[in-house]
Amino acid sequence: MTHAGLAAARSSTTQLAEIIPQLDDGQWELPSACAGWRVIDVVAHLAALASEAVTPPPPDPSLPRNRERYHDLRVDERRGWSHAEVIDEWRRSTPRQLDLLEAAQDPSVADEPVEVAGLGTYPRHLLANTMAFNVFCHLRDDLLAPDGPLPFTLPEPTDDQVAPAVEFMLAGLPQMQGPELTATVRRPLVLDLTGPGATTVTILPATGPDGRLTVAPGADATTTRVHSTALDFIAWATTRKPWRDHCRITGDASAATPFLDCLNII
């Protein structure tokens, strides 16, 4: 089970809840570090996800299949709302979302596959990690200084907050971009992440024409390695920052560069 993911989601959510009352109307309107979204739009995004978790909308084939465009649509639907209305939706739906994620840790349902449109299929218990990743990334990278506009300080991120976010990212890596990313990996690549959330995994090429990448724990010493902190990985693997500024490659750089240029975790 991913009880650590649930704890991380609760931890980052609590930190966001402590910051929200400190913002004035002008700060809500500031552009965040998430392109095209204001500070209030980031909260609207989190509120929309929470509401959809609590009350899933009916299938609608007219909605964008691209997950980023889908998120933009849901934010755009709330652009006419007042700050108070957006915050109220977030405060109302988020605790219920966390309760659902806690229930998803029950062994009777934990391993059920759940398709997340545009992102892949995950065991139900891992959905807690998606929230841990989403709240952590938006709060730390998009809202707060130095990259975001808000001049608030939080304690340094802990392994308990970062590791579950990275776990989701690695679970999504083979799925989110499909053949586009798969085509960039011809030989095994080791991803060596250090600091809070540290882990080492090997990204293995697909074994057949219709296969996909595999992320395996540990490292093959003969392969090319990509070195980064786990915190930086959250930023560059989501294309918020250039990977070249935050990664060091040992071995054959030409084997890693196409993969790094293509990777975009949503």
Side-chain angles (χ1 to χ4, degrees):
M1 303 311 100
T2 48
H3 295 290
L6 180 64
R10 291 190 185 279
S11 174
S12 290
T13 296
T14 297
Q15 291 179 329
L16 177 57
E18 292 170 350
I19 287 172
I20 282 176
Q22 302 179 59
L23 272 64
D24 60 34
D25 285 341
Q27 287 173 310
W28 283 120
E29 292 295 320
L30 292 172
S32 78
C34 187
W37 287 1
R38 303 163 296 168
V39 170
I40 191 64
D41 295 328
V42 173
V43 177
H45 163 63
L46 297 175
L49 289 178
S51 292
E52 291 186 10
V54 173
T55 307
D60 183 349
S62 70
L63 293 174
R65 297 175 66 88
N66 179 284
R67 189 68 182 187
E68 289 180 304
R69 301 293 75 79
Y70 177 80
H71 290 327
D72 285 335
L73 173 69
R74 292 309 192 202
V75 167
D76 288 344
E77 290 173 345
R78 290 159 171 78
R79 286 188 183 270
W81 294 18
S82 68
H83 300 161
E85 288 172 324
V86 171
I87 295 164
D88 180 66
E89 182 186 32
W90 181 80
R91 285 177 170 155
R92 184 177 63 252
S93 297
T94 297
R96 298 169 65 191
Q97 179 187 21
L98 287 164
D99 287 344
L100 289 172
L101 294 175
E102 183 172 8
Q105 307 307 309
D106 188 289
S108 65
V109 298
D111 290 325
E112 291 178 354
V114 178
E115 182 180 358
V116 182
L119 297 182
T121 300
Y122 304 88
R124 186 174 297 278
H125 66 86
L126 198 68
L127 297 182
N129 293 58
T130 69
M131 184 179 181
F133 159 76
N134 209 30
V135 180
F136 181 91
C137 183
H138 284 305
L139 175 59
R140 298 276 183 163
D141 291 323
D142 295 334
L143 296 184
L144 299 184
D147 298 306
L150 301 181
F152 301 105
T153 301
L154 291 177
E156 289 297 312
T158 65
D159 188 76
D160 289 344
Q161 292 174 318
V162 180
V166 170
E167 182 180 9
F168 163 69
M169 295 173 72
L170 295 176
L173 186 153
Q175 306 186 64
M176 292 185 189
Q177 295 172 270
E180 177 189 18
L181 188 65
T182 297
T184 68
V185 180
R186 299 300 184 184
R187 286 174 285 169
L189 302 173
V190 170
L191 185 60
D192 188 16
L193 304 179
T194 58
T199 190
T200 298
V201 297
T202 300
I203 301 165
L204 299 168
T207 57
D210 297 322
R212 67 186 187 190
L213 302 176
T214 302
V215 178
D220 178 344
T222 65
T223 59
T224 298
R225 288 180 178 246
V226 178
H227 306 266
S228 169
T229 69
L231 277 173
D232 285 341
F233 174 68
I234 293 174
W236 62 256
T238 59
T239 70
R240 283 169 166 79
K241 294 183 179 180
W243 68 262
R244 286 174 173 82
D245 294 344
H246 301 283
C247 295
R248 178 175 59 89
I249 301 173
T250 55
D252 182 3
S254 68
T257 299
F259 167 77
L260 296 170
D261 282 340
C262 184
L263 181 62
N264 182 17
I265 301 293
I266 300 170

